[in-house]
Amino acid sequence: MTDTTANAPNDPAGPWAIPVRRPLPGDDKPKSTTSFPRKVWHLLVGIKDALALIFLLLFFVALFGLLSGRPNAGLPVSQGALLIELDGIVSEQPSEVDPLAALSGGAQLKEIRVRDVVHALEVAADDKRVTSVVLDLDRFLGGGQVSLAEIGAAVDKVRAKKKPVLAFATAYTTDSYQVAAHASEIWADGIGGVAIAGPGGSRLYYKGLMDRLGVTAHIYRVGTFKSAVEPFLRTDQSPEAKEADLAYASVLWDNWLTDVKKARPAAKLDAFIADTAGAVRAAGNDLSKASVDAGLVDKVGSRMAFNRRVAEISGAADDSKPWEYNAIPLENWVAANPPSTSGSTIAVVPVVGEIVDGEAPSGVAGGETVAKHILDAATDSSVKAIVLRVDSPGGSVLASEEIRQALLAAKAKKLPIVVSMANVAASGGYWVSTPADRIFAEPETITGSIGVFGILPSFDQALAKIGVNADGIATTPLSGQPDVFGGVNDEFNALAQASVEDIYARFTGLVAKSRKQPIEKIRTIAEGRVWAGGTARQIGLIDQFGGLPDALKAAAKLAKVDGDFHAKYFEDEPSEFSKMLASWSGAEEETAALPRGWFGIAAMNRQLTERRLVQDLTMLTQAGSVQASCLDCRAYLPAVPRPGQAEAKGFLGALALLLK
């Protein structure tokens, strides 16, 4: 075979010339010249194009979801029943949906804003388009007592205009019945009824378990009644804590009874509550019949029978389906009837949820976030005064002080400051109220708890039990302190306690100056003790009873506003993206899964107790600053996890899961 790669002897290029391959038969056939890198590049481009298409598709799906999910200002019917479905809880400020939790399949309990419900009812009272009101309480998990009283008062305004208000639930509990009592007709399912528990219950104490595990809780506190840290110090509740808890719980219970008896004067309420089991036995073990016999329920029937009754009043949506009535959903009604914006502007800045350092989404009072809202209101030339709406058990002292300083900056601009306390305004919630020119609260408001604490766990004894020891060097008494593995020394403990006592002195001093009372008197009502609104007024912690409308009127008067005024809220609303996530993450399925019967609600309360356990252990492991917080007050707020409240992690987080 001829060597076609060799050079010819007379090749002028010489022996080092690059060989040239001569054409062979078949070389004229086309062959692929695409290299491997080019193939990889084409693959990457294809992936990029596919991802772009996917993201574009998701964008349009999200846009469709936003447009279709947004409440329509147009009403579905010209006349009908205003349908208020309280599926979940009512709160001052619905919390932001956690995107990570939503995308991972989790769902938060639905929250309905109190002021939307109240405004909707007040407008409905005078609007001819609303011929009746339906309170669907079948999956209602409650809210703060002040919030429930506000909704009940708004229902009374509808009834005062001779419009029927009908309530339905399979089973009524303490919270749902407080609202239902104001209805003109109360319906219950035949397998349900009314079971009133009232305030009270037990909480967990971890001292015995911590001793067994070798976990030491270093507690720094001031206040005989500062019982927030007792679960880590004791195996039971102290007599002082029981005294304080029973005092304000009794006031709340008396107010509940007064509200319900006024709304249902003919009901045999006291006898039914005193011996519910006996009343049920007398009714042949039928709770619904016992509820009717006691005058707590007007009619027993299924949801279909209830809907037929509403259709008789407000018309049927379809004559062939008499069990479907003309309904005006709450969301549509609120969208179609926005609050008035006429007259002067009074800013309302909510402080809702736990007070935490830094920024925080809605439902949690971030110190930086709330302070920014206050300063925004102070620099708004249209704002004549500021109303701070507080519904918080407190939290970080540093964050509370940041909010207070922002209020002082607003006062320096000659803006009147009025505080309106909702369900709870305790500890840090009272700290932020001290700059007010006037403080309003309701008899059911929980306030006070003027005390502070710090908490820090150490695990030296726990590690020693498994053969792990810590050792090292120190150049000063505070080197390496607090040493959570080797043990916290006396010098650090003394410094921490001194810091807490200093902050307590500042707290009581602020209250004394704000309330224009001697410091000695404030010390006698402080000590971390919690007070109900009625008692708080007697001892001078608040100025007068009244809700948010009263606070707005007082702010307008202090600002010398002549004529009309309106409230302008400075707050972070849940984003449209958050609302979309709520719908995508199965919120509807979560609502449908909420309990309806008496046993189902009892089971839900068990889950809420588990959440309380995680909150307690989270506080032990993650409290990063001195706290002015009333943890017992959380029992009188909706027990739902808020964004920014992380689950307990690490050793105690695992322990919490084991205990579940």
Side-chain angles (χ1 to χ4, degrees):
M1 183 175 178
T2 305
D3 183 3
T4 59
T5 62
N7 289 320
N10 58 352
D11 190 343
W16 299 282
I18 298 175
V20 178
R21 179 180 181 274
R22 293 187 173 92
L24 295 175
D27 280 354
D28 57 339
K29 295 180 179 179
K31 291 184 180 180
S32 174
T33 59
T34 304
S35 64
F36 177 73
R38 185 180 296 274
K39 291 180 179 179
V40 173
W41 173 253
H42 287 165
L43 176 62
L44 293 176
V45 171
I47 293 174
K48 181 262 295 181
D49 292 340
L51 289 175
L53 288 173
I54 291 172
F55 281 116
L56 189 62
L57 178 62
L58 289 175
F59 170 77
F60 283 110
V61 170
L63 183 62
F64 173 77
L66 290 175
L67 295 176
S68 61
R70 184 176 299 165
N72 191 346
L75 302 180
V77 294
S78 58
Q79 273 193 337
L82 173 60
L83 173 58
I84 300 179
E85 291 180 298
L86 298 183
D87 293 344
I89 62 173
V90 292
S91 65
E92 283 289 318
Q93 187 182 67
S95 57
E96 187 89 6
V97 173
D98 184 350
L100 293 178
L103 294 175
S104 63
Q108 295 173 203
L109 288 177
K110 182 179 178 181
E111 296 181 58
I112 302 97
R113 190 159 54 186
V114 176
R115 73 172 185 262
D116 288 344
V117 178
V118 171
H119 176 68
L121 288 166
E122 291 177 343
V123 173
D126 295 311
D127 197 307
K128 294 181 179 179
R129 292 174 293 179
V130 174
T131 54
S132 68
V133 172
V134 172
L135 299 174
D136 190 337
L137 304 169
D138 209 15
R139 296 182 173 88
F140 183 45
L141 297 180
Q145 196 164 324
V146 170
S147 299
L148 302 180
E150 289 177 350
I151 294 173
V155 172
D156 291 341
K157 293 179 181 179
V158 177
R159 291 191 61 186
K161 299 295 184 177
K162 307 302 180 183
K163 292 187 178 182
V165 179
L166 300 92
F168 178 85
T170 301
Y172 293 97
T173 59
T174 309
D175 283 0
S176 59
Y177 193 77
Q178 183 175 358
V179 176
H182 293 264
S184 51
E185 286 186 26
I186 301 178
W187 285 62
D189 193 278
I191 60 173
V194 181
I196 306 299
S202 60
R203 67 170 301 176
L204 298 174
Y205 290 79
Y206 311 104
K207 183 65 166 63
L209 176 61
M210 293 172 65
D211 288 345
R212 180 174 297 181
L213 296 174
V215 178
T216 303
H218 301 273
I219 307 294
Y220 316 99
R221 64 170 176 167
V222 182
T224 304
F225 296 95
K226 200 61 185 173
S227 59
V229 294
E230 283 194 354
F232 311 111
L233 289 175
R234 300 175 57 94
T235 58
D236 60 357
Q237 191 175 31
S238 69
E240 294 83 3
K242 280 190 175 181
E243 174 191 350
D245 287 0
L246 184 60
Y248 68 77
S250 297
V251 173
L252 297 181
W253 179 234
D254 288 342
N255 290 336
W256 187 94
L257 289 171
T258 300
D259 185 13
V260 174
K261 287 179 180 179
K262 182 179 178 181
R264 304 282 294 185
K268 304 171 185 176
L269 188 63
D270 291 330
F272 184 83
I273 293 174
D275 189 12
T276 304
V280 172
R281 285 193 298 270
N285 292 332
D286 188 337
L287 177 60
S288 63
K289 184 177 184 303
S291 302
V292 173
D293 293 342
L296 300 177
V297 169
D298 298 306
K299 296 183 180 180
V300 173
S302 66
R303 177 176 287 278
M304 184 173 289
F306 173 79
N307 289 351
R308 285 177 180 269
R309 169 62 178 149
V310 179
E312 291 175 2
I313 300 171
S314 297
D318 186 339
D319 291 339
S320 64
K321 300 176 181 178
W323 56 85
E324 293 184 2
Y325 57 87
N326 290 322
I328 303 174
L330 173 65
E331 292 79 7
N332 295 69
W333 185 249
V334 171
N337 297 279
S340 171
T341 57
S342 62
S344 300
T345 301
I346 306 296
V348 179
V349 181
V351 180
V352 177
E354 184 179 356
I355 299 175
V356 300
D357 295 318
E359 298 180 347
S362 57
V364 181
E368 289 184 16
T369 303
V370 176
K372 181 180 182 301
H373 291 321
I374 294 170
L375 296 176
D376 286 344
T379 54
D380 187 329
S381 59
S382 68
V383 170
K384 305 302 181 184
I386 296 177
V387 173
L388 198 71
R389 179 66 167 175
V390 183
D391 195 24
S392 170
S396 165
V397 167
L398 295 176
S400 301
E401 177 62 11
E402 188 171 10
I403 295 171
R404 190 184 77 89
Q405 289 294 334
L407 288 172
L408 293 178
K411 290 192 74 170
K413 295 178 71 66
K414 307 302 182 183
L415 285 173
I417 306 295
V418 175
V419 165
S420 171
M421 295 180 172
N423 302 289
V424 173
S427 285
Y430 196 88
W431 185 299
V432 301
S433 303
T434 54
D437 298 303
R438 198 150 192 84
I439 297 178
F440 286 79
E442 299 285 8
E444 302 89 353
T445 300
I446 298 172
T447 188
S449 189
I450 301 168
V452 296
F453 69 89
I455 183 168
L456 183 73
S458 65
F459 307 97
D460 46 311
Q461 296 181 39
L463 293 173
K465 288 186 176 185
I466 59 174
V468 178
N469 297 297
D471 198 3
I473 58 114
T475 56
T476 73
L478 294 178
S479 293
Q481 292 294 321
D483 190 345
V484 296
F485 299 119
V488 180
N489 64 23
D490 293 339
E491 287 81 0
F492 180 85
N493 284 333
L495 181 62
Q497 181 62 32
S499 176
V500 167
E501 291 178 3
D502 175 64
I503 293 175
Y504 177 72
R506 293 173 184 267
F507 197 173
T508 53
L510 289 174
V511 176
K513 182 179 179 181
S514 169
R515 307 313 301 162
K516 298 180 175 59
Q517 295 185 15
I519 187 65
E520 294 77 15
K521 180 180 178 181
I522 297 300
R523 286 171 182 158
T524 62
I525 63 177
E527 293 286 332
R529 181 159 183 168
V530 180
W531 305 94
T535 312
R537 184 182 181 187
Q538 295 174 12
I539 61 179
L541 288 179
I542 67 171
D543 293 301
Q544 64 188 86
F545 293 144
L548 182 57
D550 301 296
L552 289 167
K553 290 178 183 177
K557 184 177 180 180
L558 289 171
K560 296 180 173 56
V561 171
D562 294 325
D564 294 337
F565 60 87
H566 68 276
K568 179 180 179 181
Y569 282 81
F570 286 76
E571 62 180 340
D572 291 335
E573 290 278 356
S575 64
E576 294 294 339
F577 179 68
S578 170
K579 296 174 184 177
M580 179 188 68
L581 285 177
S583 63
W584 283 8
S585 64
E588 293 182 359
E589 291 79 0
E590 180 83 358
T591 297
L594 289 177
R596 296 173 57 205
W598 189 72
F599 273 97
I601 294 172
M604 174 60 73
N605 288 334
R606 179 191 64 81
Q607 295 180 24
L608 299 182
T609 300
E610 292 175 354
R611 289 174 178 172
R612 176 68 179 269
L613 166 63
V614 175
Q615 285 179 343
D616 286 346
L617 296 180
T618 301
M619 185 195 72
L620 180 63
T621 57
Q622 296 184 352
S625 60
V626 176
Q627 300 285 301
S629 182
C630 176
L631 301 190
D632 287 340
C633 300
R634 291 177 176 176
Y636 299 92
L637 288 171
V640 294
R642 295 285 190 167
Q645 293 179 342
E647 300 293 322
K649 299 177 181 178
F651 173 74
L652 286 177
L655 173 61
L657 294 176
L658 289 174
L659 291 176
K660 289 176 69 176

